Amino acid sequence: LAFNINAAQLGAKLDGVTDDTTAFQNALARAALMNNGVEVFFNGDTITSQTLTMTDNTSLVGSSASRQTGVQGSGRITAIHSDGPVIRLNGENVTLKNLYLRGSAARRSGVKADNYGILIEGDDDVNGAVRGFRFDSVYISNHPNHGILSSGYMFVGVINQCAVRDCGGHGMMFDNGVETGRTFKGRPGGVMIQMPKFFGNSGHQLVIGSGDDDYGAYRFEVNNMDSARAGVSLDPAIKFGDAAMYFKGENITTKNCAFNGDNGAGVPTNRAMICNGRVMEHSYNRYIGTVGIAHIEQNASFNSTNITFDGCQFGSTSTNVVAVTTEAGVDQVKIVAPEDSTVTNWFDSNLSNPVYESSNRMSRATQTLDIKKIVVGADADAGITVSRDSATTGISVERTGTGAVTGSFS
């Protein structure tokens, strides 16, 4: 039967002053030897001076006295070292829960290097991978580099109600291995990110699919995200462009998210996102202080296509001279606008196959539509209006079977 290990029973003082690294390493090592879903837990605040490595079938769960009487808060780990992440995941079925991973002032002001909040990375060999992780209520702040970095092959993960703030890199980054210089690289995929919060990070709040693989990431779902730059400008050394988020790959979706693109002073500065890939859907999102919605890059290995923005809601400070800009070669992009949208210029001229829909309009590029039947109501203002150039045909009817042609338009 699986059981729990209390870090305090292995010598952790948990007083917020003592370096408890050895006690936590011993507890995690014991849990790894049991390899049976063992949970290492602690109640209080602690300091660590080395990376804590989590391997197969282990969990780290924290708690501490909350400011609210009778309510338990997260266990706090303050990292004082400057030679690695606070926690590294290297294995399968790893869980982190109720943790506050904070960098000390000295750590935050030190070198970026590999000083992340959490590093998700398997061994750098042909079998190196991380599969099946879960983060619940993990709060990450004050690290010189990315809050969470996934590097190399990673498959199936859940990040639930987690926050990253005041970090010197990206909030969360899912990379194929370039970021850590891996020899054996792989695509990250199969991740659900629910109710994340990003605040005041120097890089993009969320990067999905970076690296040197044109196919990027796959099967990512982001729901109910909140973000703010809080006056922190994008670091030009690490940004992929002037946007809050960067998405590269296939089957990437966002829903009910708030994208913030201002500079902290209410001035629209960045686009909500940069997209590169195919089969992406961004639905019912709010764009606050953004310069348009998105810029879509052309993928080097295939056309960026089938990208949809449905139910766009704009904050009062958003500017949308052109809502979606594209690089040459980008194929189908679709926007479904809300009824109260005041945006009139949705696409730039590069896009070969734009699709626009609203409550009173549908606009598509030149293409064939196969429609079996059109029914016009009996209202006085019902009908079909054809606007055309005088040198072209408006609607032509061609009969290929039996029966008479009863109408034509020219």
Side-chain angles (χ1 to χ4, degrees):
L1 296 176
F3 63 97
N4 300 331
I5 297 174
N6 188 338
Q9 293 178 339
L10 294 181
K13 299 299 183 183
L14 304 175
D15 55 10
V17 178
T18 305
D19 183 349
D20 289 326
T21 302
T22 300
F24 273 87
Q25 288 176 333
N26 289 339
L28 291 171
R30 183 174 295 187
L33 285 174
M34 295 175 180
N35 194 25
N36 192 26
V38 174
E39 176 184 292
V40 175
F41 74 93
F42 68 101
N43 188 331
D45 297 344
T46 189
I47 289 176
T48 57
S49 57
Q50 296 178 34
T51 297
L52 303 179
T53 299
M54 313 260 315
T55 55
D56 293 351
N57 303 311
T58 55
S59 299
L60 180 61
V61 179
S63 66
S64 64
S66 174
R67 294 176 183 174
Q68 298 178 4
T69 303
V71 178
Q72 288 299 101
S74 298
R76 183 166 71 177
I77 299 176
T78 300
I80 62 174
H81 59 288
S82 58
D83 57 355
V86 183
I87 294 176
R88 178 183 176 183
L89 273 62
N90 183 5
E92 299 186 6
N93 303 321
V94 176
T95 298
L96 301 177
K97 185 176 181 180
N98 295 343
L99 300 175
Y100 176 17
L101 307 180
R102 176 180 174 273
S104 66
R107 174 178 169 88
R108 178 63 177 88
S109 62
V111 297
K112 285 182 178 291
D114 58 351
N115 292 305
Y116 318 113
I118 299 174
L119 174 62
I120 305 168
E121 183 178 34
D123 293 330
D124 193 8
D125 58 37
V126 67
N127 296 315
V130 174
R131 300 179 180 89
F133 70 89
R134 184 179 182 96
F135 301 160
D136 283 302
S137 299
V138 178
Y139 184 84
I140 301 165
S141 75
N142 215 43
H143 300 285
N145 212 325
H146 314 312
I148 296 176
L149 171 66
S150 171
S151 185
Y153 178 71
M154 177 273 292
F155 183 64
V156 180
V158 175
I159 299 176
N160 181 52
Q161 289 186 300
C162 296
V164 181
R165 65 174 295 161
D166 302 325
C167 288
H170 306 301
M172 297 181 189
M173 183 179 195
F174 299 87
D175 184 82
N176 78 332
V178 169
E179 189 71 8
T180 58
R182 290 179 64 89
T183 299
F184 294 89
K185 302 171 186 174
R187 300 173 67 193
V191 176
M192 179 178 289
I193 305 173
Q194 302 177 119
M195 293 179 282
K197 293 184 179 181
F198 302 100
F199 185 88
N201 300 300
S202 296
H204 300 291
Q205 310 293 17
L206 181 59
V207 175
I208 296 176
S210 59
D212 58 0
D213 185 342
D214 290 336
Y215 288 85
Y218 64 102
R219 287 172 51 196
F220 270 73
E221 182 177 327
V222 184
N223 295 316
N224 289 302
M225 174 187 67
D226 194 17
S227 66
R229 294 224 57 84
V232 179
S233 299
L234 273 170
D235 184 345
I238 61 174
K239 71 178 184 179
F240 293 90
D242 293 327
M245 316 280 173
Y246 181 82
F247 303 134
K248 180 180 181 181
E250 305 166 294
N251 305 105
I252 297 172
T253 67
T254 65
K255 186 176 182 179
N256 293 330
C257 296
F259 291 84
N260 192 301
D262 70 32
N263 64 356
V267 179
T269 306
N270 302 303
R271 289 192 171 273
M273 67 188 83
I274 296 172
C275 299
N276 183 325
R278 58 192 175 190
V279 193
M280 300 184 186
E281 182 170 358
H282 306 284
S283 302
Y284 311 112
N285 296 323
R286 185 172 179 83
Y287 302 99
I288 306 166
T290 60
V291 182
I293 300 174
H295 176 68
I296 302 177
E297 299 175 337
Q298 172 66 321
N299 191 279
S301 294
F302 54 84
N303 283 346
S304 290
T305 187
N306 292 328
I307 300 173
T308 299
F309 302 92
D310 189 351
C312 311
Q313 182 65 45
F314 297 99
S316 60
T317 60
S318 294
T319 60
N320 303 282
V321 177
V322 178
V324 176
T325 60
T326 59
E327 293 182 358
V330 173
D331 196 2
Q332 181 170 303
V333 178
K334 178 179 179 180
I335 289 178
V336 180
E339 292 185 23
D340 60 350
S341 175
T342 59
V343 179
T344 58
N345 194 358
W346 290 100
F347 304 105
D348 64 11
S349 59
N350 286 330
L351 187 58
S352 60
N353 191 5
V355 179
Y356 171 81
E357 294 180 9
S358 67
S359 60
N360 58 7
R361 178 185 171 192
M362 182 177 74
S363 175
R364 302 180 70 95
T366 302
Q367 57 188 259
T368 300
L369 297 178
D370 294 324
I371 301 174
K372 182 178 180 180
K373 185 177 182 180
I374 297 177
V375 178
V376 179
D379 296 346
D381 58 351
I384 299 175
T385 300
V386 179
S387 298
R388 61 182 180 85
D389 185 270
S390 59
T392 61
T393 299
I395 299 177
S396 61
V397 179
E398 179 181 357
R399 178 173 59 82
T400 58
T402 59
V405 175
T406 59
S408 63
F409 306 88
S410 59

